[in-house]
Amino acid sequence: MGTGPSRRELLRAGGLLVAAGLLAGARPAAAAALPAPPSGFSASTPTTTAAARSAGYAVVTDFGAVGDGGSRPLSTRYATLADAQRAFPAARSLSDELDGVAIQKATDSGRAGVFYPAGTYLHSQAIVVRDHQRHLGAGAAGASPTAVLRNTRTRTTDYDFAQAHSFQIGDIHPAAFATGRAGISWATRPLAPITAGARSVRLTQSLGTVPLKVGDVVMVRCDNDPMVNRESVVYDAQQWNRVSSYNAASGVVGLELPVPWTIVTSSADPTVLDGPTLCVNDGADYFMNCPWSLCQDIEIGRLWLDSAGFTARNGVWRGWFHDLVVVGENMLGFNALVLSTIERVNGRFSSRMIELKHSSHTSTVREVSASWAPPSSGTVGVDADAVDIGEQSFGLTLTGIQVSIPAEDTANRRALNISTGQVSFSGALTHRGTGPQQAVWAIVDSQAPANPPRDLSLALLVRTRPGMYAYGVVGWPDPRPSSPVGVTLNLDQASSGTPAGQAFHVATGRNVTVTRIVGDRTTASWSPPGQAPTGCASVQV
């Protein structure tokens, strides 16, 4: 068997997949064949500098950016930081790149959009994006980007990591919900019981001086279903929502989206959600000294982004990210992606390709392809799964996803890891990595007994190195109340040599259905050996 899937195999597996070349050589579908933009966005955006000026966009070269790929530290033009800040208020150091502070000045100009003519722009701080803003490069959708943003900062500290990204979109981080953290002032208030499908909630304790208005993004959550991540931050079943009405006298808060769960006041049963709570942004700051917020109505498209990663400490309520080339440690990472679409993206990653965490929900990711590459100088590669979806995210659809991991990658890295529910994924996973991992894909428990991973659908084309224990795994080796429930598998799996020991291994999953399996028809195994767990819809393959 060859080293990778053929174009025919890709099309058969995902429908939308194309055999993408690396970076500049890869071209999305012709513009005439592109799907319509998501609701609230338009395909009729300016593609030239002249059109952008006519449309009222801030053209970055009009604000001082040069875009010829040359390094121009502010120290080459200004004697003091104060002098530089009079021209470019966003400057933090005389080592800052001129292009970067000029782009930030254009971003902060109050225009509805920021336009990047063709060229290469160096920056040394993440570009802070504002609400209701578009950041667009020259050229039409469906073509390779001609505007390049290259972040020159290397990652050595947490501050560097947050600033070494291309953009900072909002500022949502799990630490905002941890107790006992200095500088955190996210306001939480108890709610009356909630019935699934409710479009309003009622406060049982006044917000006091905490501001709340129509259009604010809030979080509805429970308090008894903790999922603890590697940073020791607790997650509960939680939903980002937006305020449609607020009556301070009655405490009733109207919501744009229905709450997906029933949450009772209290229960001794750990599989029942209890402790309904409303979280309101009270202007909290963290070490970045930025307000915690979700940016609303954001578009970033037609750009080549070369940095440590795409976004930093972010939150997006309605966003469209499209026609991008992304090169970085983490390609596409979102802590809270809501009502958003990511499409037509390709690139390289050294740690993560796609990361959707912190209650991302009701979003679509499609036609994204990437290959692993060694970490660049000054960055730190880590053992992280290429596509990682978890931390109580839900309602996510990923289609046409192509992951390629070569033999040179020795990290403990799966191509796909899902630890949450209501996720549909179709794509091609090519994993030749020689690290200690023993499966290409995995669906694992959520660590949340009342909200286990439910209703998962995987359609996968898998190609891997010889000697894997299993192509995929469902559940942990030991049963847990938060093990996956309701998994549908459509599989085409093969190795470049000796087949994997198992087509897939169901450790603790329940209601597992296999609709199709081709390629290496290695015996699937169940736990206990030789029989399907109670409730599984299929038995030995």
Side-chain angles (χ1 to χ4, degrees):
M1 185 162 298
T3 59
S6 68
R7 179 178 175 84
R8 179 176 297 176
E9 289 172 323
L10 292 173
L11 292 171
R12 184 174 72 238
L16 294 175
L17 286 169
V18 294
L22 180 62
L23 305 179
R27 302 181 68 87
L34 298 180
S39 177
F41 297 92
S42 172
S44 301
T45 53
T47 60
T48 66
T49 300
R53 290 192 181 109
S54 297
Y57 278 58
V59 177
V60 297
T61 49
D62 293 344
F63 286 78
V66 179
D68 64 357
S71 176
R72 293 179 177 83
L74 293 177
S75 59
T76 62
R77 297 195 176 196
Y78 300 96
T80 68
L81 179 59
D83 290 340
Q85 288 174 333
R86 278 189 282 274
F88 300 104
R92 299 180 183 179
S93 166
L94 287 177
S95 63
D96 285 350
E97 289 286 348
L98 173 66
D99 282 353
V101 295
I103 291 170
Q104 192 63 60
K105 186 175 182 178
T107 299
D108 297 341
S109 65
R111 310 282 185 89
V114 179
F115 188 83
Y116 301 76
T120 298
Y121 302 87
L122 302 188
H123 61 115
S124 50
Q125 306 283 349
I127 306 302
V128 179
V129 177
R130 307 304 182 191
D131 283 342
H132 314 294
Q133 199 169 65
R134 279 87 174 104
H135 284 250
L136 298 173
S144 295
T146 59
V148 179
L149 271 68
R150 180 166 296 135
N151 194 325
T152 60
R153 182 181 289 271
T154 57
R155 172 183 175 178
T156 56
T157 68
D158 282 347
Y159 179 84
D160 284 335
F161 178 63
Q163 284 301 310
H165 292 67
S166 297
F167 293 102
Q168 178 178 304
I169 306 172
D171 199 24
I172 293 296
H173 188 269
F177 302 99
T179 58
R181 296 289 186 96
I184 300 301
S185 58
W186 191 274
T188 62
R189 295 291 188 274
L191 296 169
I194 303 171
T195 300
R199 300 293 286 261
S200 65
V201 294
R202 181 173 62 81
L203 293 159
T204 59
Q205 178 185 339
S206 171
L207 280 172
T209 59
V210 176
L212 183 66
K213 64 182 184 302
V214 171
D216 283 355
V217 176
V218 296
M219 175 183 281
V220 178
R221 64 180 286 186
C222 76
D223 272 339
N224 77 313
D225 199 28
M227 174 265 171
V228 183
N229 75 349
R230 68 183 65 185
E231 296 174 309
S232 298
V233 176
V234 176
Y235 290 82
D236 303 302
Q238 49 196 25
Q239 179 202 30
W240 296 106
N241 216 316
R242 193 162 71 165
V243 177
S244 60
S245 63
Y246 175 48
N247 186 316
S250 65
V252 174
V253 181
L255 302 171
E256 288 191 15
L257 302 175
V259 179
W261 318 285
T262 291
I263 309 177
V264 303
T265 301
S266 64
S267 173
D269 185 346
T271 65
V272 174
L273 297 176
D274 70 6
T277 304
L278 186 72
C279 300
V280 179
N281 181 4
D282 193 20
D285 288 349
Y286 196 46
F287 71 89
M288 291 296 297
N289 295 318
C290 295
W292 295 111
S293 63
L294 272 79
C295 269
Q296 301 186 35
D297 186 31
I298 299 299
E299 179 182 357
I300 295 178
R302 308 189 315 240
L303 292 169
W304 181 317
L305 307 175
D306 186 348
S307 68
F310 181 62
T311 58
R313 310 213 183 281
N314 50 77
V316 179
W317 178 278
R318 287 199 175 90
W320 184 26
F321 307 93
H322 62 94
D323 301 291
L324 301 170
V325 171
V326 185
V327 180
E329 178 184 342
N330 301 317
M331 268 185 63
L332 298 169
F334 289 90
N335 275 331
L337 184 74
V338 182
L339 293 171
S340 297
T341 298
I342 301 173
E343 58 186 340
R344 301 187 299 278
V345 181
N346 65 79
R348 292 196 308 246
F349 66 95
S350 58
S351 292
R352 296 180 179 89
M353 173 180 164
I354 300 172
E355 183 181 25
L356 299 177
K357 298 289 186 68
H358 199 26
S359 300
S360 294
H361 68 83
T362 324
S363 294
T364 298
V365 182
R366 59 193 178 203
E367 295 183 69
V368 178
S369 64
S371 299
W372 179 89
S376 59
S377 176
T379 63
V380 181
V382 299
D383 288 4
D385 297 317
V387 179
D388 196 359
I389 307 169
E391 293 177 358
Q392 304 288 26
S393 298
F394 62 93
L396 302 175
T397 300
L398 295 90
T399 59
I401 310 300
Q402 181 182 350
V403 183
S404 181
I405 301 173
E408 291 76 17
D409 184 13
T410 60
N412 185 16
R413 188 187 326 282
R414 287 178 290 229
L416 172 65
N417 185 75
I418 299 175
S419 59
T420 192
Q422 297 180 42
V423 175
S424 175
F425 184 100
S426 68
L429 311 177
T430 300
H431 196 324
R432 312 290 186 196
T434 51
Q437 75 287 334
Q438 292 299 307
V440 177
W441 58 268
I443 299 172
V444 298
D445 78 300
S446 65
Q447 303 182 46
N451 195 33
R454 300 179 185 272
D455 305 323
L456 297 153
S457 174
L458 272 62
L460 302 177
L461 173 70
V462 179
R463 297 294 181 262
T464 189
R465 60 170 169 81
M468 281 283 189
Y469 165 73
Y471 291 105
V473 175
V474 181
W476 285 101
D478 57 305
R480 304 184 185 192
S482 53
S483 292
V485 181
V487 179
T488 300
L489 302 174
N490 180 334
L491 305 172
D492 182 335
Q493 304 184 133
S495 165
S496 59
T498 305
Q502 300 168 25
F504 57 91
H505 175 66
V506 179
T508 58
R510 292 173 286 147
N511 300 332
V512 178
T513 301
V514 182
T515 60
R516 171 178 171 268
I517 182 167
V518 299
D520 290 342
R521 295 183 61 84
T522 313
T523 301
S525 71
W526 309 93
S527 179
Q531 70 179 59
T534 301
C536 281
S538 60
V539 292
Q540 297 279 43
V541 176

